[in-house]
Amino acid sequence: MGIQPDWINLYDKHDMVNAFWGFFRLYAEPLNGALWFMVPYFWATVLYGITVKISKDIWKNRTFKERQLFIMLFSIFFAIIAFILIDSGLTYYDHAEIGLVCMPLVALGGYYQVNHDKIREDYINGRILIAFVCVLGIFLYQDKWIILDQYRFVGPWQFFIITGMSIYIWLFVIKKSENFRLFKKCGERVIILAGDYSMDIMTLHIVVFKLIDYVMNSYIMPNSNVLLSSYPVTYLSPWIRLIYVTLGILIPIMIRITGGYMWRIVMKGMRRIMQMECWGKCR
């Protein structure tokens, strides 16, 4: 009934050393399992940067916007290699090949960066959204879920279709929400914060989930017969899922903001101490 599964043994000194070394190789503990994405993210961004550099060396007189076709095609080439490796069973403990799979998505982000005004004006509209929602609904109805760390891609083409449609839907929601005054004051700020602190959310959200499980089982629903070590969450009712999502985003943001504030106070105090020491020596 504990937070950790029953099969987990307490660490001895040897296990502690191995766990500490495993941290640097990103072997994550269950409560921090979301850090698996760090290695794919690293390779995706590094290879994207190399691709941009190669395109710049080849076409020195062309702008970043004019080199987008080459960058996208090269990124698709990386993704094809990744799917071939995965289909052949050549996968690695750190999921590095998933970074190659996501290369076209990173390139798509670069394309949107230089063409966002035209895309928002000409292509993000309600008619296209209806078609996308219908197709996406069909995929979800058929249980075509994407879970990267389990290599559940549905299929290469389906993966990019589902992902692209999901991105498009969010772009549409953000565009239309900008027309609401309340969103301009509050909602936009929350989305910006979530983007700025996305790394903190990814790192800490599972820890927050288990803290919610502990509070629910200890104080709110103490007589519920549940297994707290269920991963990633214990309670599956819709309203509790809403709590997971909301607090799983807000608490990591609050921790980061509080930590940054405390860090600034410490550094300010250190500077004052150094200034006082310098002033004393100068006298």
Side-chain angles (χ1 to χ4, degrees), residues 56-278:
K56 185 177 181 180
D57 292 339
I58 296 175
W59 294 288
K60 296 181 180 180
N61 297 325
R62 294 189 179 184
T63 64
F64 178 62
K65 186 175 182 178
E66 294 172 335
R67 302 195 307 269
Q68 287 300 307
L69 179 60
F70 171 83
I71 294 173
M72 180 59 71
L73 291 177
F74 213 67
S75 299
I76 293 174
F77 172 73
F78 277 121
I80 292 173
I81 292 177
F83 279 115
I84 292 174
L85 291 174
I86 293 171
D87 189 60
S88 303
L90 300 176
T91 57
Y92 303 90
Y93 76 90
D94 55 6
H95 302 289
E97 61 282 348
I98 293 180
L100 302 182
V101 169
C102 295
M103 276 286 294
L105 301 178
V106 178
L108 184 64
Y111 178 83
Y112 180 79
Q113 180 183 8
V114 295
N115 295 280
H116 59 88
D117 291 334
K118 180 176 176 59
I119 293 173
R120 284 168 60 89
E121 184 67 27
D122 298 339
Y123 298 106
I124 299 181
N125 55 65
R127 288 170 295 180
I128 300 178
L129 176 67
I130 293 174
F132 273 33
V133 170
C134 291
V135 176
L136 184 61
I138 293 173
F139 278 118
L140 298 181
Y141 178 75
Q142 295 178 349
D143 197 29
K144 303 294 185 180
W145 295 96
I146 294 174
I147 305 177
L148 291 178
D149 61 332
Q150 297 180 15
Y151 299 103
R152 288 184 58 181
F153 301 107
V154 182
W157 293 110
Q158 295 93 323
F159 168 73
F160 290 111
I161 290 174
I162 294 174
T163 306
M165 287 189 300
S166 301
I167 294 172
Y168 179 89
I169 290 172
W170 275 109
L171 290 175
F172 177 83
V173 170
I174 293 173
K175 178 182 177 181
K176 294 303 179 182
S177 298
E178 291 175 351
N179 298 327
F180 295 97
R181 184 177 302 176
L182 179 62
F183 176 82
K184 291 292 289 184
K185 292 182 178 180
C186 303
E188 187 175 8
R189 178 62 176 168
V190 172
I191 292 178
I192 292 173
L193 282 175
D196 290 342
Y197 300 116
S198 58
M199 187 70 70
D200 304 88
I201 295 171
M202 286 295 295
T203 303
L204 298 174
H205 73 277
I206 294 180
V207 177
V208 175
F209 290 168
K210 303 320 293 182
L211 290 175
I212 294 172
D213 288 344
Y214 179 78
V215 171
M216 291 289 297
N217 186 68
S218 299
Y219 303 103
I220 301 176
M221 303 172 64
N223 297 322
S224 58
N225 187 19
V226 297
L227 186 64
L228 293 182
S229 59
S230 299
Y231 189 87
V233 298
T234 298
Y235 300 92
L236 301 177
S237 64
W239 70 272
I240 297 183
R241 287 186 178 185
L242 181 61
I243 294 176
Y244 284 130
V245 173
T246 303
L247 297 184
I249 294 174
L250 293 181
I251 291 180
I253 292 176
M254 293 170 60
I255 291 175
R256 174 62 183 277
I257 292 175
T258 303
Y261 178 74
M262 296 300 295
W263 176 255
R264 288 192 296 271
I265 292 177
V266 171
M267 294 304 296
K268 187 176 180 180
M270 292 294 294
R271 284 194 295 267
R272 286 185 176 180
I273 293 174
M274 294 176 65
Q275 290 173 356
M276 292 175 63
E277 291 180 351
C278 181

